[in-house]
Amino acid sequence: MTNTPFKIGIVGCAGRMGRMLVQEVLATPGAVLSGGTEPAGPLVGTDIGLLVGAKTIGVPVGSDAAQLFAACDAVIDFTVPAATLYHASLAAKTGKVLVIGTTGLGADVLAAIETAAKSAPLVYAPNFSIGVNVLFALTEKLSSTLGPDYDIDILEMHHRHKVDAPSGTALGLGEAAARGRKVKLADVARRTRDGQVGARAQGEIGFATLRGGDVVGDHTVIFAADGERVELTHKASSRGVFAKGAVRAALWARGRKAGLYSMRDVLGL
Ligand code: NAD
């Protein structure tokens, strides 16, 4: 490892997560913030420091992601799927580290991520908090230990602005539960229930979504059997936990060979 500061860029730097990421990079020893982007508009040209406080840092918000990739060692992306698709193509072209937190990704973006991972180190996680990643591991373990007599449902709640449902984390928990049972989530997932849906089928993994207020992210995995219920719950009270995990992932990916990594790899779980 070298002592040269690691240059990190934040695409979507004025978003809710973008601002947390800017603060986290500025507070991380060994990392420097070398730029950030937003789509063309009034924010472009603003000093990034002013997005998170009253101090300028001499780095303006840009709108050219290709330029940002050229100037950085790593880029962190918590934006929207269409932007992530483009950023994955830039990682493929430049071989730079790309950390992706955007959720609600379609098959086209997931395919672009797989392709980019052939020529660049990518870390993709539906949730960068350490607590949630421990929850993934516990969910898989409980699902395999408790067996098919326990009905599994995943309940999540997020703030009123969230646009995708169920959350990427809830789907990740569903994947973990399915892995524990050695089945494919797509074959057993019940993403909504509304009206005369009939009795619950055995082996189903259900999802329930709540939206409201400023809830940062609550997830509960419920294992319900006759006579008892086990519930695993995680509640995030600050977006700072995701930013901390994402910056840690970027530093971890420094110097790694091309590939698609997860927070499990970063945390060694
Ligand atoms: P937000 O709407 O506040 O921020 C998104 C930002 O991206 C906006 O500032 C927007 O202008 C910007 N943007 C859009 N297109 C862009 C482009 N082409 N180039 C540059 N910037 C662009 O949303 P948010 O709450 O910060 O969440 C962003 C994403 O991160 C969502 O998908 C959310 O679900 C996800 N998220 C993931 C985690 C995790 O741990 N993986 C945690 C929190 C949020």
Side-chain angles (χ1 to χ4, degrees):
M1 279 286 149
T2 151
N3 285 327
T4 322
F6 194 52
K7 290 181 280 175
I8 300 182
I10 313 288
V11 286
C13 60
R16 281 178 289 264
M17 275 306 300
R19 289 172 203 248
M20 296 303 300
L21 289 159
V22 165
Q23 280 175 301
E24 185 61 28
V25 171
L26 292 175
T28 301
V32 288
L33 183 71
S34 53
T37 61
E38 272 293 319
L43 282 170
V44 173
T46 309
D47 191 288
I48 295 180
L50 298 178
L51 297 176
V52 297
K55 255 176 57 190
T56 57
I57 57 169
V59 183
V61 177
S63 62
D64 184 341
Q67 216 171 55
L68 183 71
F69 270 79
C72 294
D73 300 312
V75 169
I76 305 182
D77 178 346
F78 284 62
T79 58
V80 294
T84 300
L85 181 67
Y86 177 50
H87 298 139
S89 78
L90 290 173
K93 234 181 246 165
T94 60
K96 301 282 173 79
V97 170
L98 177 60
V99 174
I100 299 170
T102 311
T103 62
L105 304 180
D108 55 339
V109 189
L110 293 173
I113 289 175
E114 295 275 350
T115 305
K118 293 191 178 117
S119 41
L122 264 66
V123 184
Y124 169 54
N127 192 307
F128 278 92
S129 105
I130 293 169
V132 158
N133 283 282
V134 171
L135 186 65
F136 284 140
L138 289 173
T139 298
E140 181 172 343
K141 172 88 183 130
L142 267 191
S143 166
S144 98
T145 307
L146 293 175
D149 289 345
Y150 288 73
D151 297 324
I152 302 177
D153 261 24
I154 296 157
L155 173 67
E156 58 106 336
M157 179 162 188
H158 282 84
H159 54 90
R160 63 169 74 93
H161 304 289
K162 186 160 177 66
V163 293
D164 53 316
S167 70
T169 303
L171 292 169
L173 288 166
E175 295 283 359
R179 257 196 319 277
R181 286 191 169 167
K182 301 195 179 353
V183 295
K184 273 189 151 157
L185 181 62
D187 296 338
V188 296
R190 183 67 168 261
R191 292 176 61 143
T192 55
R193 296 189 183 97
D194 183 23
Q196 295 294 312
V197 295
R200 186 190 171 102
Q202 207 195 11
E204 201 167 271
I205 296 178
F207 293 87
T209 299
L210 309 179
R211 291 285 175 266
D214 61 354
V215 177
V216 172
D218 292 355
H219 292 89
T220 297
V221 185
I222 302 164
F223 298 86
D226 292 338
E228 68 171 0
R229 202 154 78 232
V230 183
E231 298 186 359
L232 298 175
T233 294
H234 177 272
K235 294 186 178 185
S237 49
S238 161
R239 287 187 178 81
V241 293
F242 310 127
K244 222 176 241 315
V247 172
R248 179 164 166 176
L251 290 165
W252 175 89
R254 183 180 202 173
R256 303 249 164 209
K257 60 181 199 301
L260 182 54
Y261 301 101
S262 70
M263 266 315 261
R264 269 186 119 136
D265 300 313
V266 175
L267 299 173
L269 287 171

